[in-house]
Amino acid sequence: MAYRILLPLLGILAALAWGATWFVNGTTRSWFERDVQLRTRLVAAGAREALATYFRAGDRQKLAAVLDEIARDDRIMAAALCTPSMKPLARTSALPSRYACDALAKRGVVDAPKAGLDLFEEPDGGLVHAAVVPILDDDRIVAQLVVVHDLSFVARREAAMRRFTVGAFAVVALLASIATLLVRRFTWHRWTEEILRVLTLGRGVVWGPRTRQEKRFGPLLSDLRAMMTELASDQGVSAGGKWTPERLHGVLTDSLDGDRVVILANREPYVHDRGPDGAVHVQHPASGLVTALEPVMRACSGVWVAHGSGSADREVVDRRDRVLVPPGEESYAIRRVWLSESEERGYYYGFSNEGLWPLCHLVYTRPVFRVEDWRQYQSVNRRFADAVCEEVEGPDPVVLVQDYHFALAPRMIRERLPRATIISFWHIPWPNAERFGVCPWHREVLDGMLGSSILGFHTQQHCNNFLEAVDRFLEARIDRERNAVVLGGRESLVRPYPISIEWPDRRAATAPPVPRCRREVFAELGLGPDALLGVGVDRLDYTKGIEDRLLAVERLLERFPRFRGRFTFAQLAAPSRTLIPEYRALSERVDALASRINGRFAEGAWKPVVVLRAHHEPPAVFRYLRAADLCYVSSLHDGMNLVAKEFLAARDDERGVLVLSRFTGASRELTEALLVNPYDLEEASAALATALAMPPAEQAERMRAMRAHVGEFNVYRWAGRMLADAARLRKRDRLTNRLSIAGASEDDEALPRAGSPSPCARR
Ligand code: G6P
């Protein structure tokens, strides 16, 4: 029955889609044409005075200089100046011969000396606009200005518009089909009762066992709900298809008119260290931020501005403190900023890691705020903001500011580059307003961050906390509907973007097979072939719950003696922030705890706990993750935690169990993991026992579901969604800017204009 309604409906929608595409293309083409005509008139009006003066003085060199200045505009290909009868006076070097003064006269397209021409042509397949505008001096035409615009971008925009229109109609078609089916179903089954039931289901409140009809509607509703959530969160941008490096790069070039980004992050992705052998080694630091952003940078190319922290970092940079990476591939540059010991102590160890880090993590470690640390934080943020400004290439670059080290940099960059698109991402949790207010400089931190165009957090809860803090501490307008803050007339969007890892993971392609990893790791740890292995991978940080993890292993052995002599937990612990007393104390406590547990349970050559306190390079970490029966991520509070996702990437054999703290951002996505409260040793030890006894088929089922999720929600999607949101903002700003230029009075001349060089851009 339903197809009788559906088929004609879909036919009508397809015809409408075709008609809309035709109409939209025609309309946008005429907008572009009007826009370029307006731009040409503005250019001519701006240059008229200078041209007339130099024409009177007969100074051809100055005339040529004015033409060069006109052609600096991104979209203007060339310019020329002719006599009223179209004889050449001056021209820019890139002027195509068909638009030279005499060529235009010969082609008969100019009615000299009345002049005036608007010519749209596609000489080599790319759209070009050539205009001839008379230059008047005392109401007399003294010269003709030829301005040639390159409009090849119009074709790209039209293609994007076509894709968008077709996509939008496809969604409408889908919704219409679903609505038709629903209407049919509702009519068939006593519809009033069904509506009541559906509403109850829609609210997620189901009292008692489900009826047959509820069951029948359950899958349909959950699909609908999933689709609506997807639409709401993506606003259609990422609809359909996998996110790949190529697709991400496409968003950057097609939607943002850029082909590179500038990332600002304290930690650099490659550290050059001089080893004890005297040779320079490249190290990949243990940092979730680096794990996530490095593949994004490979895909987008550009510059990563970071603290040069390696002992041989200075030896490998060029005169501008840059080095091309990844070694051997060289697809982007690291720009290193050098910090003095006192700057590093105040900005990095002090305000960032003794102040903001414990402030944002609910782990009962007291934050410390010192005024001298704050001063260093301010001045170091300024230095990094300056470095960013030196690296950008135009007045409206795309800048990605990362993490709590740079809360003030967005505002500082905004002051220098008012038209930049600044996307800031906060990789750690954001606390509630009451807690945040403990920071003596909470207003300055918020104001600094609101220099961003977009502010990203891992979860909606962190966004809510941020908005609550703005509401409480700043005189700003909060647009709850759009999740935006308006401060000083400028808007910052506040959005959740849960971060992820690259997928497929490059390491998975080259890693040894799982049985070999298992053999090698078991041999390194002195384990027998029947042993069971648990793995933890972390920086030695008090937020990671390493002590609670070892206590859970101890409790497991107490409660389930069958694992004694068989189960070993290997903790890969990378030393971190070792100048901070709290971190040194933690390291000592972990050692003492491991010794105590081993003292209690070790038998012969078997030890229940092995702490490998060293930096492990990514392939070594991957080998341990592939060898393990379980991975326990027990963070007490964590923005996301990418080790959990890396474990999934490592297990292409679909074996192994993830035991995951509920207090990680990752636990909201990875619901097929065994979720635990790491403070609750009974629950955590029971989960470890369940993991060790889980049948292979169940392991595979859980692994498959989680791997599919991370495969889809990979880091390219994370970055792509932020860039797509930025592109929308940028389009809107451009339009506003254009409208304000069109209506500008003489007094507005000082305003920054599209195409004008930035105050700090390199030439
Ligand atoms: C966390 C932070 C990152 C930081 C990483 C490692 O993941 O969010 O910004 O890079 O820890 O810490 P480190 O102090 O060594 O850079």
Side-chain angles (χ1 to χ4, degrees), residues 266-267 286-290 348 353 357 403-405 427-428 539 544 576-577:
N266 174 69
R267 186 58 67 201
S287 157
L289 177 151
V290 170
Y348 172 76
N353 284 314
W357 179 266
D403 230 353
Y404 59 99
H405 309 90
H427 289 254
I428 62 176
R539 288 179 303 104
K544 303 293 177 188
S576 179
R577 306 174 190 168

Side-chain angles (χ1 to χ4, degrees), residues 404-416:
Y404 59 99
H405 309 90
F406 295 119
L408 306 181
R411 168 78 57 224
M412 294 167 173
I413 298 171
R414 171 74 60 221
E415 279 161 8
R416 306 265 307 262

Side-chain angles (χ1 to χ4, degrees), residues 238-468:
S238 54
K242 289 254 181 270
W243 275 88
T244 59
E246 294 72 34
R247 185 166 172 197
L248 177 62
H249 194 250
V251 173
L252 186 64
T253 49
D254 298 346
S255 311
L256 281 162
D257 291 336
D259 55 2
R260 64 205 286 279
V261 293
V262 176
I263 284 186
L264 171 59
N266 174 69
R267 186 58 67 201
E268 52 186 343
Y270 296 91
V271 181
H272 289 88
D273 267 329
R274 190 164 287 286
D277 56 353
V280 174
H281 298 279
V282 181
Q283 207 188 69
H284 302 78
S287 157
L289 177 151
V290 170
T291 306
L293 282 174
E294 211 274 334
V296 170
M297 204 58 193
R298 281 171 194 253
C300 292
S301 85
V303 187
W304 182 313
V305 180
H307 170 213
S309 57
S311 56
D313 269 2
R314 283 177 196 263
E315 298 170 34
V316 296
V317 292
D318 65 12
R319 300 185 280 113
R320 284 164 51 206
D321 296 327
R322 285 161 144 233
V323 57
L324 289 176
V325 291
E329 279 177 47
E330 306 185 341
S331 46
Y332 67 94
I334 300 179
R335 158 73 192 277
R336 286 176 170 152
V337 175
W338 315 112
L339 297 181
S340 68
E341 222 172 89
S342 62
E343 281 175 325
E344 197 178 352
R345 207 175 326 111
Y347 142 81
Y348 172 76
Y349 289 107
F351 192 72
S352 297
N353 284 314
E354 283 186 279
L356 291 179
W357 179 266
L359 178 75
C360 292
H361 288 93
L362 298 175
V363 288
Y364 314 104
T365 298
R366 190 183 190 284
V368 181
F369 294 107
R370 305 179 192 93
V371 71
E372 58 275 24
D373 292 349
W374 169 244
R375 292 213 177 100
Q376 290 289 12
Y377 187 82
Q378 287 172 298
S379 86
V380 171
N381 265 246
R382 167 98 35 219
R383 289 195 52 207
F384 275 96
D386 289 347
V388 167
C389 285
E390 282 162 23
E391 294 300 332
V392 299
E393 273 188 343
D396 54 359
V398 181
V399 182
L400 306 180
V401 179
Q402 304 300 312
D403 230 353
Y404 59 99
H405 309 90
F406 295 119
L408 306 181
R411 168 78 57 224
M412 294 167 173
I413 298 171
R414 171 74 60 221
E415 279 161 8
R416 306 265 307 262
L417 294 167
R419 301 196 319 110
T421 299
I422 305 173
I423 305 175
S424 298
F425 192 79
W426 196 260
H427 289 254
I428 62 176
W430 186 274
N432 65 39
E434 205 165 354
R435 191 178 164 95
F436 180 68
V438 164
C439 171
W441 300 282
H442 53 270
R443 284 197 184 84
E444 288 84 341
V445 168
L446 291 172
D447 179 75
M449 292 175 72
L450 288 170
S452 316
S453 325
I454 298 184
L455 268 162
F457 297 89
H458 290 298
T459 66
Q460 185 61 49
Q461 181 62 49
H462 299 160
C463 295
N464 295 348
N465 286 352
F466 179 81
L467 291 173
E468 189 196 332

Side-chain angles (χ1 to χ4, degrees), residues 14 71 103 120 146 165 184 190 225-226 439 456 501 579 625 639 724 743 758:
F120 286 94
V146 181
T165 314
R184 199 180 103 48
R190 300 202 315 261
R225 247 180 272 138
C439 171
I501 56 172
L579 289 194
L625 293 176
S758 82

Side-chain angles (χ1 to χ4, degrees), residues 599-612:
R600 248 186 102 186
F601 294 101
E603 288 162 18
W606 173 77
K607 279 199 297 189
V609 174
V610 179
V611 178
L612 299 166

